[in-house]
Amino acid sequence: MTLELPAGVRVREPREDDHGRVLAVLDLWWGGLKGASGAWERRLLLPRFLFQHFTPSSRLVEADDGTLLAFLIGFLSQTDPASAYIHFVGVAPSARRAGLGSWLYQDFFTRAASHGRRWIHAITSPENARSIAFHTSLGFTIAPGGSAVDGIPAHPDYDGPGLPRVVFRKAS
Ligand SMILES: CC(C)(COP(=O)(O)OP(=O)(O)OC[C@H]1O[C@@H](n2cnc3c(N)ncnc32)[C@H](O)[C@@H]1OP(=O)(O)O)[C@@H](O)C(=O)NCCC(=O)NCCS
């Protein structure tokens, strides 16, 4: 499937000096999900090294005036030559439901496939209904989990004690 990038936006690889401005939008873009502990968790999920050493496989989207509209942090698996992993994605509230998140994912799928990666992996918090709807709309399947949150299979303690995750996989 080929998607059109919405008009008036530009896409590039992130740079180290984008780290702070991406961290600065997380609370607003995630709508304060899971309160103060969620905010802390999200900041720790985006350490600076991702903006130093994982940039060729990641993307940042800006409006023509430079306003940050979206980002995707992903990489080719170092362990499994058939896999790639999308770690974090965000789209500004004002730019949602216009296909930007789908465009970033499709773009990543294409680049992953060009490197021979047949599988795309991602995870999300079971509380993040929007993210679950987004991933399933793009064809991701949810792996069976040891528990369910609101009927969604989740893996308890997946990312550490008290940090359950929904685990997605999709053919690229
Ligand atoms: C999840 C997110 C990235 C989606 O970005 P987006 O650009 O709005 O997504 P798209 O416009 O490409 O949506 C594609 C499809 O996903 C589904 N979807 C997206 N947002 C949805 C929502 N709020 N409710 C239900 N379905 C939704 C729909 O099926 C949508 O297709 P449609 O608009 O034709 O109905 C964005 O909402 C976001 O940044 N949320 C906060 C951060 C986050 O939770 N990130 C993911 C976890 S790391």
Side-chain angles (χ1 to χ4, degrees):
M1 176 167 51
T2 307
L3 290 177
E4 290 286 318
L5 193 58
V9 307
R10 55 191 189 206
V11 182
R12 63 173 171 81
E13 293 178 14
R15 299 183 300 255
E16 184 172 351
D17 64 2
D18 292 312
H19 180 232
R21 62 197 288 245
V22 170
L23 289 190
V25 300
L26 296 183
D27 286 348
L28 177 67
W29 289 17
W30 264 252
L33 186 70
K34 299 200 306 186
S37 69
W40 184 244
E41 202 184 309
R42 282 185 289 277
R43 279 198 293 278
L44 293 179
L45 282 167
L46 280 183
R48 179 175 288 264
F49 75 81
L50 292 169
F51 293 78
Q52 294 169 317
H53 300 294
F54 288 78
T55 55
S57 52
S58 300
R59 290 293 181 269
L60 189 136
V61 183
E62 294 171 315
D64 285 337
D65 66 1
T67 304
L68 183 62
L69 293 180
F71 66 89
L72 178 149
I73 305 293
F75 51 87
L76 303 178
S77 173
Q78 304 292 295
T79 307
D80 177 6
S83 290
Y85 187 85
I86 296 178
H87 173 61
F88 229 54
V89 63
V91 173
S94 63
R96 288 192 189 150
R97 301 305 284 269
L100 200 45
S102 300
W103 188 93
L104 282 167
Y105 267 54
Q106 296 292 348
D107 175 62
F108 185 85
F109 300 160
T110 302
R111 283 182 289 113
S114 76
H115 288 273
R117 307 304 168 120
R118 291 182 292 113
W119 296 106
I120 308 296
H121 303 267
I123 59 171
T124 201
S125 294
E127 298 86 353
N128 195 341
R130 190 164 37 208
S131 172
I132 294 165
F134 172 69
H135 283 89
T136 52
S137 84
L138 289 176
F140 282 88
T141 56
I142 298 177
S147 69
V149 179
D150 294 333
I152 302 292
H155 295 250
D157 301 332
Y158 185 90
D159 266 341
L163 297 173
R165 297 290 184 248
V166 176
V167 176
F168 300 110
R169 187 174 85 150
K170 178 191 183 308
S172 66

